[in-house]
Amino acid sequence: MALSRRDFAKRCALASTGTAFGPAFKALAQVQGEHYQTSGHPVACIQDTETAAQKNERMRWFREARFGMFIHWGLYSIPAGRWNGKDIPWIGEWIMNTASIPVAQYKALASRFNPTEFSAASIVGLARSAGMKYIVITSKHHDGFAMFASKANSFNIVDATPFRRDPLKELAGECRKQGIKLGFYYSQDQDWTAPGGAALKTGDHKPPTYHWDPAQDGSFAEYLEVKAIPQIEELLTNYGEFPAILWFDTPTKDMTPELAGKIVSVLNQHPKLIWNNRLGGGYLGDTETPEQYIPARGYPGRDWESCMTMNETWGYKQADTNFKSTETLLRNLIDIASKGGNYLLNIGPTSTGEVPAAEADRLRDMGKWLAVNGESIYATQPTLFGAEAGEFSATEKDSEGKPKFIPGWKWRSTTTANKIYIHLFEWPGSTFNLDSVPRRVTGAYLLADSDRKQLKMTKSGNGIDVALPERAQDPVATVLVLTTA
Ligand code: GLC
């Protein structure tokens, strides 16, 4: 439905009255996606102009997906956390910044990048076997190296490496074949090898640019014009119906509303595109992006996606073997779904293009649980309860001095029109009690029981007691289904 000029202007004016867009985010010693009051967007974005029905249609697949694969893969997988014989601290994809590697030395890595073990078919197959519904891969990270064919800049995997293939094109073909959505992460603001690209501070790098090599100096506006915006256009044009998502990252103060507006003008040409809250310039995007944590209550009324690593790095680091257990990863997914969010779980392929076995094994194990219990995750709505997720401490404070949230891990819940799913983490013994139920419960069974044998229910005050078998069906989470009218 086309908007009349008057309606469009009215919607922009309404949008421009936006109040502070929520608290400043501080994660990983960086300021990312800081939201602040704006006097209005210089270029109206789709979120300013679409109706609620149009937004719901555009976001539908994302809200039903609940589980996606993040892929951090690039030149940084060659050093893999070590430089000049030394282990470099922190996340692997930041090594050029944290080790202050000169531009020429870092760019020379490209001539050694030949990941011949890369297989789009097996990576997309792994995502599917994990029960993931979409993939977001780093197309260009902060190091400025493009993992795709780019006419805008020759520092890319086709022109600058012996590999000469475009992995994004191969992934797009496989995702199309296997029914998985494909998104691209693009670092629109930081670029440590292009003149004028921004850099967030690490170590003793000096303001105002925090650059460590004169080759990095230049105009940010010009960097956007000659590299970032043309590459965003290439990503939005060259891969058919993909990307379904553009995943921006680490906006800095250089990204003014006017400069961000230039990028939004390009995004507006792709009305089905979903993009996150990290463009900068006061644009809120479609999704909140809590990183390495799960918000206590989610973001009621707002789409969101918690992104996490399986160990402690996004890009591959050979020394990082501190992997979360499959139990933790599955319970994170269930917790996130119970709060109405998506889980974007990361893998970091090696310099040969292979997925570390520790990551692939966990994903396959998560897929086994989802093959039995996925109905209680995909296309569900958040819990009707809430208190089961935990409570704010009356005494302990978090890093910002606010009451610390203490998660409870006995059970979670998700909902559909006529079912309430209860994910039992701790087996309650022979009876599960709900002291109040917001709907009339007509039946109960265990999701893993293919016969759906009805479990005995008895009224208990305003709630119900459900008789359970002696033992849990699944050590990570057994799902109890309550059918409701
Ligand atoms: C942080 C890191 C970046 C990583 C991102 C994933 O922004 O800077 O390296 O890609 O988190 O969310």
Side-chain angles (χ1 to χ4, degrees):
M1 175 195 75
L3 280 175
S4 68
R5 184 173 296 280
R6 197 168 64 83
D7 272 356
F8 184 87
K10 202 163 71 176
R11 290 234 172 101
C12 292
L14 270 177
S16 69
T17 58
T19 53
F21 287 121
F25 283 81
K26 287 195 171 33
L28 295 177
Q30 307 161 33
V31 167
Q32 323 164 358
E34 178 136 356
H35 305 302
Y36 49 86
Q37 184 140 2
T38 70
S39 58
H41 297 142
V43 172
C45 52
I46 190 163
Q47 298 86 357
D48 293 338
T49 57
E50 67 188 341
T51 63
Q54 287 167 332
K55 169 129 196 178
N56 291 336
E57 191 45 39
R58 186 166 64 87
M59 297 302 296
R60 180 191 307 279
W61 76 263
F62 179 84
R63 293 170 181 167
E64 292 179 355
R66 287 283 175 254
F67 191 25
M69 175 187 274
F70 216 168
I71 304 177
H72 277 71
W73 190 37
L75 294 185
Y76 38 78
S77 62
I78 297 175
R82 286 178 63 80
W83 193 258
N84 292 340
K86 278 194 281 183
D87 277 327
I88 305 299
W90 208 39
I91 44 186
E93 70 285 1
W94 272 69
I95 192 164
M96 183 185 171
N97 192 328
T98 43
S100 305
I101 301 172
V103 168
Q105 279 185 38
Y106 189 84
K107 292 185 86 167
L109 289 170
S111 62
R112 294 166 46 194
F113 195 50
N114 192 15
T116 51
E117 297 303 314
F118 170 74
S119 158
S122 58
I123 286 187
V124 175
L126 176 62
R128 276 189 63 199
S129 68
M132 292 164 150
K133 301 298 183 185
Y134 62 104
I135 292 173
V136 178
I137 183 168
T138 49
S139 64
K140 175 190 83 78
H141 206 268
H142 308 331
D143 61 0
F145 179 70
M147 290 290 282
F148 59 97
S150 171
K151 291 187 169 42
N153 186 282
S154 61
F155 187 45
N156 70 69
I157 192 166
V158 173
D159 296 328
T161 80
F163 190 56
R164 308 202 65 74
R165 287 160 47 187
D166 180 338
L168 271 55
K169 188 167 180 216
E170 295 176 24
L171 282 168
E174 272 304 322
C175 284
R176 201 165 289 125
K177 205 187 290 178
Q178 301 195 40
I180 296 274
K181 296 270 189 190
L182 179 63
F184 299 142
Y185 165 113
Y186 187 85
S187 179
Q188 78 288 357
D189 197 316
Q190 289 200 81
D191 192 312
W192 304 327
T193 53
L200 283 172
K201 175 179 170 40
T202 67
D204 60 359
H205 300 159
K206 299 284 181 288
T209 65
Y210 300 114
H211 289 159
W212 56 93
D213 181 332
Q216 297 171 309
D217 296 339
S219 148
F220 180 69
E222 204 169 303
Y223 153 71
L224 286 182
E225 195 169 325
V226 303
K227 181 172 181 181
I229 292 173
Q231 287 193 324
I232 289 169
E233 287 173 326
E234 289 177 318
L235 290 169
L236 288 170
T237 313
N238 297 345
Y239 300 92
E241 73 277 32
F242 298 134
I245 295 174
L246 254 188
W247 216 96
F248 296 112
D249 198 12
T250 61
T252 68
K253 61 184 176 8
D254 298 337
M255 186 63 79
T256 62
E258 291 66 32
L259 290 175
K262 292 174 182 287
I263 294 175
V264 169
S265 298
V266 176
L267 306 181
N268 285 343
Q269 295 160 39
H270 302 269
K272 288 190 179 166
L273 184 70
I274 292 173
W275 43 283
N276 68 5
N277 67 342
R278 297 191 186 183
L279 171 60
Y283 286 93
L284 198 57
D286 295 304
T287 55
E288 294 303 316
T289 54
E291 181 174 309
Q292 303 287 30
Y293 72 95
I294 300 168
R297 296 267 185 269
Y299 297 88
R302 177 111 165 104
D303 294 294
W304 61 279
E305 180 187 59
S306 177
C307 56
M308 275 192 207
T309 55
M310 279 197 230
N311 47 9
E312 295 180 332
T313 177
W314 303 95
Y316 176 67
K317 280 184 82 170
Q318 63 191 60
D320 183 344
T321 55
N322 186 20
F323 290 96
K324 299 174 182 74
S325 67
T326 302
E327 175 182 288
T328 297
L329 297 171
L330 268 173
R331 289 184 177 177
N332 284 344
L333 171 63
I334 295 164
D335 183 30
I336 289 165
S338 77
K339 297 166 180 173
N342 285 16
Y343 195 23
L344 188 62
L345 185 58
N346 184 71
I347 61 168
T350 66
S351 60
T352 58
E354 293 168 287
V355 179
E359 294 174 349
D361 292 347
R362 283 162 176 75
L363 289 181
R364 289 192 191 96
D365 288 344
M366 291 180 81
K368 286 178 191 146
W369 186 88
L370 280 163
V372 174
N373 302 287
E375 171 190 322
S376 71
I377 300 291
Y378 303 124
T380 57
Q381 297 303 313
T383 180
L384 297 175
F385 308 97
E388 74 278 5
E391 57 194 10
F392 287 95
S393 165
T395 53
E396 290 181 71
K397 301 288 182 210
D398 68 14
S399 57
E400 295 178 351
K402 295 180 194 148
K404 187 174 164 55
F405 183 72
I406 313 289
W409 289 107
K410 290 190 167 44
W411 58 278
R412 290 289 183 274
S413 178
T414 55
T415 326
T416 59
N418 57 7
K419 286 179 183 150
I420 293 174
Y421 298 96
I422 306 283
H423 304 83
L424 296 164
F425 295 153
E426 256 184 43
W427 196 245
S430 58
T431 304
F432 175 68
N433 167 264
L434 281 172
D435 53 20
S436 74
V437 198
R439 289 183 188 169
R440 188 165 66 82
V441 178
T442 56
Y445 59 90
L446 295 178
L447 188 53
D449 173 7
S450 51
D451 299 332
R452 298 197 169 184
K453 185 165 86 44
Q454 285 298 307
L455 300 173
K456 186 168 175 293
M457 289 188 304
T458 43
K459 263 189 81 55
S460 155
N462 293 330
I464 54 166
D465 282 342
V466 181
L468 294 175
E470 270 315 298
R471 270 189 302 285
Q473 314 242 313
D474 187 290
V476 174
T478 296
V479 181
L480 169 63
V481 185
L482 304 178
T483 51
T484 63

